[in-house]
Amino acid sequence: MSAKPIVKAFYDDRTSSVQYVASDPETKRCAIIDPVLDFDEKSGATATRHADNILAYIEEEGLEVEWILDTHPHADHFSSARYLKERTGAPTAIGEKVVEVQKLWKGIYNWPDFPADGSQWDKLFAEGETFKVGNIEAKVLFSPGHTLASITYVIGDAAFVHDTLFMPDSGTARADFPGGSASRLWDSIQEILSLPDETRIFTGHDYQPGGREPKWESTVAEQKRENKHMAKCQTREEFIKVREERDQTLPMPKLILHALQVNMNGGRLPEPEANGKRYLKFPLDALEGAAWD
């Protein structure tokens, strides 16, 4: 039985996001993780280019999609989970704490009839729950801090850590979104770094510090030794100070108010109105952190 999935990454340079297909080489079954729906905020256009690239790879490799997995409701891109479910028939899944995010943002969007119960996904994973990708054992780690709902998928020797850890030269994810917490992020990272040193770490974003080429794979050992935040912060208090000082300098992601209403709805775009067009609802003065300069 293989415990080492084949991991194929797809980098979206518009949002610096990394999407993954993790497959069992024995059974040819796979999971799609954090897929992106293309969105151009200037024109309002949507497209499925990245999702279709994933589908083309799956077809070329003769894979069968067993899961479509979200690690959390993303704030910087739209999820194509719903589109991929329609194309493949595979079930969608996310962590059960997504209901907390839904309740929070339901209020921000003044969306009283929104069902904040997680029913937009086929499966809500509990902390520690196990499942399989083909014959490869997989488990769920609850990893809050970046968001209330963030989880890590450990599939064989591969951990998909979403926006908790970046590549070592980028450090760790911000924790200042509504519901975020630098203290909880510290705890989540400690759990991830307690995995075996050889565990492969696949991160959800890469912002190419210094203009280098995009990277997304490291190991637990490399993160413990080289992560620019974790290697120098030996205590929770040190980390909270570094993380919160850094977060105070960051503007909100440019798509956060666009993306959350789609992503907390399982990747569903708003329903067409009477004229056949879809409309995003955009609350004004809802978040702090305006970048005036």
Side-chain angles (χ1 to χ4, degrees):
M1 180 180 296
S2 173
K4 190 178 180 68
I6 296 171
V7 179
K8 172 68 173 178
F10 298 81
Y11 185 73
D12 172 21
D13 56 5
R14 288 176 67 96
T15 64
S16 302
S17 304
V18 193
Q19 313 151 83
Y20 295 101
V21 175
S23 60
D24 175 9
E26 293 181 356
T27 66
K28 293 286 193 176
R29 294 187 177 183
C30 71
I32 301 171
I33 303 165
D34 287 336
V36 171
L37 182 72
D38 302 284
F39 173 68
D40 177 54
E41 72 278 9
K42 295 182 176 68
S43 67
T46 61
T48 58
R49 300 177 307 153
H50 278 90
D52 290 335
N53 287 342
I54 290 173
L55 291 172
Y57 168 78
I58 287 167
E59 183 176 2
E60 289 167 6
E61 297 298 317
L63 302 177
E64 179 184 350
V65 182
E66 197 165 16
W67 291 101
I68 301 167
L69 305 174
D70 282 318
T71 54
H72 66 292
H74 298 271
D76 41 24
H77 66 259
F78 290 6
S79 170
S80 62
R82 184 65 182 177
Y83 170 75
L84 289 168
K85 175 180 172 63
E86 292 170 351
R87 291 292 306 273
T88 67
T92 58
I94 199 169
E96 64 181 1
K97 297 294 185 180
V98 71
V99 298
E100 303 300 325
V101 174
Q102 289 179 319
K103 291 173 184 175
L104 175 64
W105 283 87
K106 175 178 180 174
I108 292 172
Y109 286 118
N110 189 31
W111 196 348
D113 58 349
F114 177 78
D117 57 6
S119 59
Q120 297 84 356
W121 288 266
D122 298 305
K123 171 67 177 175
L124 298 182
F125 283 118
E127 160 69 14
E129 189 165 352
T130 60
F131 62 105
K132 285 188 175 184
V133 176
N135 291 330
I136 299 177
E137 299 287 345
K139 65 179 178 181
V140 172
L141 304 181
F142 181 41
S143 304
H146 175 63
T147 74
L148 287 165
S150 299
I151 61 173
T152 293
Y153 294 105
V154 183
I155 303 174
D157 76 333
F160 298 88
V161 300
H162 55 90
D163 303 346
T164 295
L165 287 166
F166 295 138
M167 292 299 292
D169 60 352
S170 295
T172 60
R174 65 193 298 168
D176 62 330
F177 294 161
S181 164
S183 178
R184 299 183 81 184
L185 184 63
W186 167 266
D187 291 336
S188 297
I189 292 172
Q190 295 308 308
E191 183 174 25
I192 291 167
L193 295 183
S194 71
L195 294 168
D197 278 355
E198 64 273 16
T199 303
R200 293 180 288 164
I201 298 290
F202 293 96
T203 193
H205 286 282
D206 187 65
Y207 297 105
Q208 302 174 258
R212 64 157 171 72
E213 289 299 306
K215 296 180 180 179
W216 43 77
E217 180 179 351
S218 58
T219 66
V220 166
E222 289 169 344
Q223 289 284 352
K224 288 194 291 191
R225 184 175 64 247
E226 302 171 15
N227 186 283
K228 75 175 194 177
H229 293 156
M230 302 309 297
K232 76 176 183 179
C233 295
Q234 301 303 309
T235 67
R236 177 195 305 271
E237 291 69 29
E238 287 179 306
F239 176 77
I240 291 172
K241 183 175 185 293
V242 167
R243 187 65 265 166
E244 290 184 347
E245 287 179 354
R246 170 64 175 155
D247 288 349
Q248 289 174 6
T249 71
L250 300 175
M252 281 288 120
K254 63 181 179 180
L255 296 184
I256 184 170
L257 293 173
H258 308 69
L260 260 297
Q261 62 195 286
V262 172
N263 294 341
M264 74 176 194
N265 201 21
R268 293 168 175 81
L269 295 172
E271 291 298 317
E273 298 190 7
N275 63 355
K277 299 294 184 183
R278 303 176 192 268
Y279 292 85
L280 294 172
K281 186 174 184 179
F282 198 93
L284 300 180
D285 299 314
L287 302 177
E288 297 179 358
W292 298 115
D293 298 324

